[in-house]
Amino acid sequence: MSHPNRDKDGNPLIQRYTPNERSNHWITAICFILLAVSGLAMFHPAMAWMAMFLGGGQWTRILHPFIGLVMFVSFAVLVLRFWHHNHIDAADKQWMKQMGDVLNNREDKLPKIGMYNAGQKMLFFVLIASMCGLLLSGIVIWRAYFAFYFPIEIVRLAALLHAFSAFVLICSIVVHIYAAFWVKGSIGAMIRGTVTYGWARKHHPRWFEEVVRKNRD
């Protein structure tokens, strides 16, 4: 039986995400999946079959905006949790200049990375922008409660903004998932909450040093 602070091979583990942070992430992720399939079902007739995931067309139209509110609130909590880890610094600017080393996994040549690298930080802010765009436009086109307060021209523009923001969000999440598979161990970190010392030292050395220093103190 493995020690709680070690993996099955006996390697020491370091906590990357708390249970609350992981729950927060997966609530947001589940809401995103439900919203993506229901949104696509309403976007084009060729994808109308996806409405079955929320119980048919009528339930899809009813539930979609409410699930959207849950996702926005859950995501807002994530933003508050991780905002202080996503400030762009000098190391991030240098990381972006060495994109060739990044793509070729030459991490030994890159500046020391903290909790997140520059790519993850840029994705963080793209997600914030698209989420805000979805919320604001979604309220305007929510026919049952708000759409009748706005001129038809504004509703039409909001519908376009909603579709554009959704497109950006879906593409961003595809990149997010691809990166999680690309860097082995990332998905395990969000499921179990821990990573090995070797993983942390290799991919996020500055964060690793900060955590080890804090544990010693």
Side-chain angles (χ1 to χ4, degrees), residues 10-58:
N11 299 312
L13 297 173
I14 186 170
Q15 186 175 61
R16 185 157 173 83
Y17 298 110
T18 66
N20 284 342
E21 290 168 346
R22 300 199 307 276
S23 299
N24 194 175
H25 170 274
W26 290 114
I27 288 170
T28 307
I30 291 167
C31 287
F32 167 78
I33 293 168
L34 293 174
L35 288 165
V37 297
S38 58
L40 289 170
M42 292 185 286
F43 182 74
H44 195 276
M47 293 176 279
W49 61 271
M50 291 185 179
M52 69 179 183
F53 292 109
L54 265 69
Q58 190 72 3

Side-chain angles (χ1 to χ4, degrees), residues 51-207:
M52 69 179 183
F53 292 109
L54 265 69
Q58 190 72 3
W59 276 111
T60 294
R61 286 189 291 275
I62 293 170
L63 293 175
H64 182 87
F66 286 105
I67 298 171
L69 290 178
V70 174
M71 181 176 74
F72 185 86
V73 171
S74 180
F75 179 75
V77 174
L78 273 180
V79 170
L80 293 175
R81 288 181 189 278
F82 298 123
W83 180 267
H84 64 290
H85 289 302
N86 284 279
H87 299 150
I88 302 293
D89 56 29
D92 295 318
K93 294 175 183 176
Q94 183 59 39
W95 186 92
M96 287 186 275
K97 292 177 182 176
Q98 295 178 233
M99 195 53 62
D101 292 326
V102 172
L103 296 175
N104 287 287
N105 289 324
R106 293 191 289 262
E107 293 181 88
D108 55 307
K109 296 184 178 181
L110 296 170
K112 286 189 174 182
I113 298 302
M115 180 78 170
Y116 298 113
N117 62 45
Q120 292 169 308
K121 291 178 181 180
M122 287 189 291
L123 180 66
F124 177 78
F125 290 109
V126 170
L127 292 176
I128 291 174
S130 57
M131 286 282 193
C132 289
L134 285 167
L135 176 70
L136 295 174
S137 59
I139 288 173
V140 174
I141 62 176
W142 196 347
R143 294 188 179 278
Y145 298 104
F146 303 107
F148 50 82
Y149 288 117
F150 301 94
I152 188 63
E153 292 82 5
I154 298 298
V155 174
R156 287 169 179 166
L157 285 173
L160 286 174
L161 175 60
H162 202 74
F164 175 76
S165 298
F167 174 76
V168 173
L169 180 64
I170 291 170
C171 290
S172 299
I173 295 300
V174 169
V175 171
H176 178 58
I177 294 171
Y178 176 78
F181 279 102
W182 185 25
V183 181
K184 187 180 178 182
S186 299
I187 295 174
M190 192 50 80
I191 294 173
R192 297 184 298 272
T194 55
V195 294
T196 63
Y197 273 46
W199 186 96
R201 193 184 296 112
K202 175 179 171 61
H203 299 296
H204 300 272
R206 197 171 78 218
W207 170 73

